[in-house]
Amino acid sequence: MSDLYEKALEKHAAWRGKITTELKMPLETRDDLSLAYTPGVAEPCRQIHKNPDDVYTYTWKGNTIAVVSDGTAVLGLGDIGPAAGLPVMEGKCVLFKKFAGVDAVPLCIDTKDPQKIIEFCKQIAPTFGGINLEDISAPRCVEIERTLIKELDIPVFHDDQHGTAIVVTAAIMNALKVVGKKPEDCTLIVSGTGAAGSSIIRMLHQFGIGTIYGFNINGIVIKEDYGKYDFLTRELTEITNPDNRRMTLAEAMAGADIFVGVSAPNLVSEAMVASMAEKSIVFAMANPEPEITYEKAKAAGAYIVGTGRSDKPNQINNILAFPGLFRGALDCRARKITEEMKIAAARGLASLVSDSERSPDMIIPGAFDERVAQTVAKAVADEARKAGLARA
């Protein structure tokens, strides 16, 4: 791994950034200049002034999003600040362009104040067709996203929450078909109730999982401790731990059908996996080290194992969700991204694994499957139009 880090450092120094801008039009003659700038540019300005929706026709807005971060929750590195987070935001923009043809601009801002971040996003909204919030710590990220969804008429999406949740949900859809279980009959354990974990819980609850227990650094989420929680965890008390039981993670996993981890390394033992129900499903995705390794989970009897790693089967990678999701939202000029659009994205993603392909080692398509972005985009756009949220 150290060789990879050294090579990455060397390459980043050579690249001096991973993205650049380019001209779409010629600029070689006086006529070119007159068309691109003054006096010709005045006419599209007048048209947009008369009809604001024409900004999608005459500018880059229809295919460009902002990737906004304050650098407080960068990868597995934590609060390293906006400048140190910039390489990640540039990388995110690379993925948007490569996998969905979406132009993206990294904007790392020097404030941790949720209200200032909200105001910043509102001020830049006229320039962009959507805003992808990235690597902002919980629960602030939820407050910021929810406020912007209400107050802006362009899609706002916090990928760390919902991108992972969409891919997990798609993988669970297919995994349950492999093991022959119905969602309403399953017990799910989620370790980690921050940005990603809370969204996973909400989405799998919406999908129809019967019983869900959530765990964080303080133990099980339970109504009894409601007064100790932030607003995000308080919401989870309404859809988890229905019998209000105080248990350890090991106790909860005994007999459970599904474990999803987005928390910390080495929290799950082989004995805990062995205690799960027959044909158990284990997604251990803590970054950079998982709750339990793929090898140990398999050895302990897990029937299906998913990880965040590219060198193991069933990589749960949010790259399968966010490029296509924004592609679809931009294509139909969606006003927002709803829970229904996220579920539609998950169903579209799951559909790419056929009945003949589906197996314990194949429940989700690969990151370089060229069908992914297009399929997710269509599912999202269709749902936006169905909900009356599309302008095109």
Side-chain angles (χ1 to χ4, degrees):
M1 186 61 75
S2 61
D3 289 343
L4 174 64
Y5 289 149
E6 289 174 9
K7 185 175 181 180
L9 193 62
E10 178 185 330
K11 288 292 186 182
H12 278 73
W15 293 328
R16 296 294 176 92
K18 296 185 284 283
I19 58 175
T20 185
T21 59
E22 61 181 7
L23 302 184
K24 289 183 174 181
M25 37 72 64
L27 191 57
E28 305 296 337
T29 68
R30 289 168 60 93
D31 286 345
D32 293 340
L33 186 59
S34 296
L35 289 170
Y37 198 53
T38 184
V41 74
E43 191 55 25
C45 292
R46 283 190 283 263
Q47 291 298 320
I48 294 168
H49 184 65
K50 287 192 293 186
N51 179 19
D53 274 356
D54 278 348
V55 69
Y56 287 95
T57 301
Y58 297 119
T59 76
W60 75 345
K61 185 179 177 87
N63 196 57
T64 308
I65 66 165
V67 175
V68 177
S69 180
D70 64 356
T72 53
V74 179
L75 294 178
L77 304 174
D79 185 357
I80 60 174
L86 185 55
V88 176
M89 305 317 131
E90 286 186 351
K92 198 79 172 191
C93 295
V94 168
L95 301 179
F96 272 115
K97 186 67 173 181
K98 172 65 178 177
F99 290 103
V102 172
D103 294 316
V105 178
L107 298 173
C108 294
I109 57 177
D110 192 12
T111 179
K112 297 180 183 180
D113 185 334
Q115 291 307 313
K116 289 183 179 179
I117 296 172
I118 290 166
E119 191 58 32
F120 174 82
C121 291
K122 290 168 68 174
Q123 289 172 346
I124 65 170
T127 301
F128 295 99
I131 294 175
N132 182 82
L133 300 171
E134 190 75 19
D135 291 351
I136 300 173
S137 62
R140 298 156 56 254
C141 57
V142 179
E143 173 192 351
I144 292 165
E145 183 196 44
R146 290 181 182 177
T147 302
L148 290 171
I149 288 172
K150 288 178 183 177
E151 297 185 7
L152 291 179
D153 68 345
I154 58 173
V156 177
F157 182 79
H158 182 230
D159 182 52
D160 301 302
Q161 288 183 71
H162 313 302
T164 305
I166 289 168
V167 183
V168 166
T169 301
I172 292 294
M173 288 174 176
N174 280 331
L176 291 181
K177 291 178 181 177
V178 172
V179 300
K181 297 181 182 182
K182 297 178 180 179
E184 61 268 26
D185 296 332
C186 289
T187 295
L188 163 70
I189 312 301
V190 177
S191 178
T193 61
S198 62
S199 186
I200 289 167
I201 288 171
R202 289 195 300 271
M203 191 169 293
L204 288 174
H205 173 73
Q206 184 182 0
F207 171 58
I209 295 294
T211 304
I212 303 174
Y213 296 97
F215 286 81
N216 57 35
I217 194 170
N218 298 311
I220 194 167
V221 174
I222 188 169
K223 289 185 177 70
E224 217 172 272
D225 293 342
Y226 185 90
K228 301 177 183 178
Y229 296 147
D230 58 43
F231 76 91
L232 186 58
T233 310
R234 287 178 177 179
E235 291 177 355
L236 298 182
T237 64
E238 301 301 318
I239 57 175
T240 67
N241 200 355
D243 40 5
N244 206 37
R245 295 172 61 194
R246 194 175 290 280
M247 299 180 285
T248 65
L249 181 61
E251 290 169 338
M253 286 185 67
D257 301 279
I258 308 166
F259 170 82
V260 174
V262 280
S263 50
N266 305 315
L267 291 180
V268 174
S269 68
E270 291 181 71
M272 291 161 72
V273 173
S275 75
M276 295 177 71
E278 186 180 356
K279 292 191 173 181
S280 61
I281 300 164
V282 173
F283 292 172
M285 302 180 294
N287 182 31
E289 297 296 327
E291 290 80 3
I292 184 170
T293 65
Y294 176 89
E295 292 79 11
K296 287 183 178 180
K298 273 291 189 180
Y303 194 71
I304 297 176
V305 179
T307 73
R309 298 175 62 103
S310 58
D311 59 347
K312 304 295 179 186
N314 304 325
Q315 184 187 19
I316 311 299
N317 190 334
N318 59 359
I319 198 175
L320 295 168
F322 66 82
L325 184 136
F326 265 101
R327 178 74 277 156
L330 290 172
D331 287 347
C332 71
R333 299 183 191 172
R335 298 181 185 278
K336 63 177 66 177
I337 293 168
T338 64
E339 295 304 310
E340 292 74 21
M341 290 161 73
K342 296 169 198 171
I343 285 286
R347 293 191 187 281
L349 186 56
S351 73
L352 292 174
V353 182
S354 68
D355 291 343
S356 61
E357 294 173 311
R358 202 179 298 117
S359 73
D361 287 340
M362 181 60 177
I363 56 171
I364 201 78
F368 289 95
D369 187 326
E370 294 181 355
R371 303 170 299 163
V372 168
Q374 181 179 0
T375 301
V376 171
K378 184 179 186 304
V380 168
D382 286 349
E383 184 60 38
R385 293 187 178 104
K386 178 182 173 183
L389 294 171
R391 285 174 285 204

